[in-house]
């Protein structure tokens, strides 16, 4: 796959380990890197048919998916390297396309995600995916940051 084209493949823990070992993709997220266990967190995101990876030239540049919380409720997540900014439209379209598909195929009725209060790009992206802001969770983040809970019902 040495063609500079974004390919979507099933997520693996190895993809996540690579992505998490790279620099964070936004300055506001730099604080979170101190709390990430690359091996453990990457493996924790691996669930059958609930996550996918965007690969360019054999390198994972982003991964996204859902992690079941309980019943039909899932936590949505996205991790990415700074290289994802070279393909912002392709990455965004891939996530949006597969987001609802994954939820519907797995009978998920609610997808939720916490997004840092100071990460406005992440908030706009969540809203573009159809998630709605539900409220502010104070001192929710790894570093004690305030975060908004966003959710989408299916």
């Amino acid at each position: 796959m040495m063609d500079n084209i974004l390919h979507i493949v099933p997520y693996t823990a190895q993809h996540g380990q690579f992505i998490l070992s790279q620099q964070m993709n936004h300055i506001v997220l730099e604080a979170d890197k101190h709390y990430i266990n690359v091996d453990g967190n990457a493996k924790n995101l691996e669930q059958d048919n609930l996550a996918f990876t965007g690969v360019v030239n054999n390198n994972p540049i982003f991964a996204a998916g859902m992690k079941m919380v309980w019943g039909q409720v899932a936590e949505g997540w996205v991790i990415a390297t700074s290289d994802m900014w070279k393909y912002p439209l392709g990455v965004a379209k891939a996530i949006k396309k597969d987001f609802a598909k994954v939820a519907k195929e797995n009978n998920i009725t609610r997808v939720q995600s916490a997004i840092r209060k100071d990460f406005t790009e992440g908030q706009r992206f969540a809203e573009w995916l159809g998630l709605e802001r539900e409220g502010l969770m104070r001192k929710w983040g790894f570093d004690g940051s305030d975060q908004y809970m966003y959710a989408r019902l299916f």
Side-chain angles (χ1 to χ4, degrees):
M1 284 192 273
M2 295 295 288
D3 52 12
N4 292 324
I5 295 174
L6 178 64
H7 298 274
I8 304 302
V9 299
Y11 174 83
T12 68
Q14 291 77 21
H15 295 153
Q17 288 168 339
F18 177 81
I19 292 167
L20 291 174
S21 72
Q22 303 299 302
Q23 64 186 1
M24 301 302 275
N25 67 21
H26 193 282
I27 191 72
V28 120
L29 302 177
E30 282 295 311
D32 291 346
K33 76 177 181 181
H34 302 292
Y35 301 93
I36 293 174
N37 172 322
V38 172
D39 292 334
N41 291 344
K43 181 67 176 162
N44 187 42
L45 297 174
E46 193 173 43
Q47 282 190 341
D48 289 342
N49 304 315
L50 290 179
F52 52 93
T53 303
V55 178
V56 176
N57 297 331
N58 294 321
N59 291 317
I61 64 166
F62 83 93
M66 298 173 198
K67 178 84 175 152
M68 296 308 298
V69 178
W70 56 75
Q72 295 172 296
V73 176
E75 190 81 19
W77 57 269
V78 175
I79 56 176
T81 70
S82 59
D83 284 341
M84 77 105 187
W85 294 112
K86 297 176 185 174
Y87 308 89
L89 192 55
V91 169
K93 284 183 176 182
I95 293 171
K96 187 168 189 167
K97 176 181 172 246
D98 287 339
F99 178 75
K101 178 181 164 198
V102 167
K104 290 175 183 174
E105 287 176 353
N106 291 280
N107 297 316
I108 295 169
T109 58
R110 175 187 170 91
V111 177
Q112 62 187 35
S113 187
I115 301 173
R116 292 177 63 99
K117 182 180 177 185
D118 54 352
F119 188 32
T120 55
E121 292 91 339
Q123 293 168 33
R124 283 197 313 266
F125 185 66
E127 291 168 1
W128 183 71
L129 290 175
L131 283 80
E132 296 179 20
R133 184 185 299 181
E134 294 187 328
L136 180 64
M137 301 182 300
R138 294 188 303 228
K139 299 194 182 289
W140 179 258
F142 296 120
D143 60 347
S145 60
D146 294 345
Q147 303 207 359
Y148 288 112
M149 176 59 76
Y150 278 82
R152 178 171 170 184
L153 305 179
F154 291 91

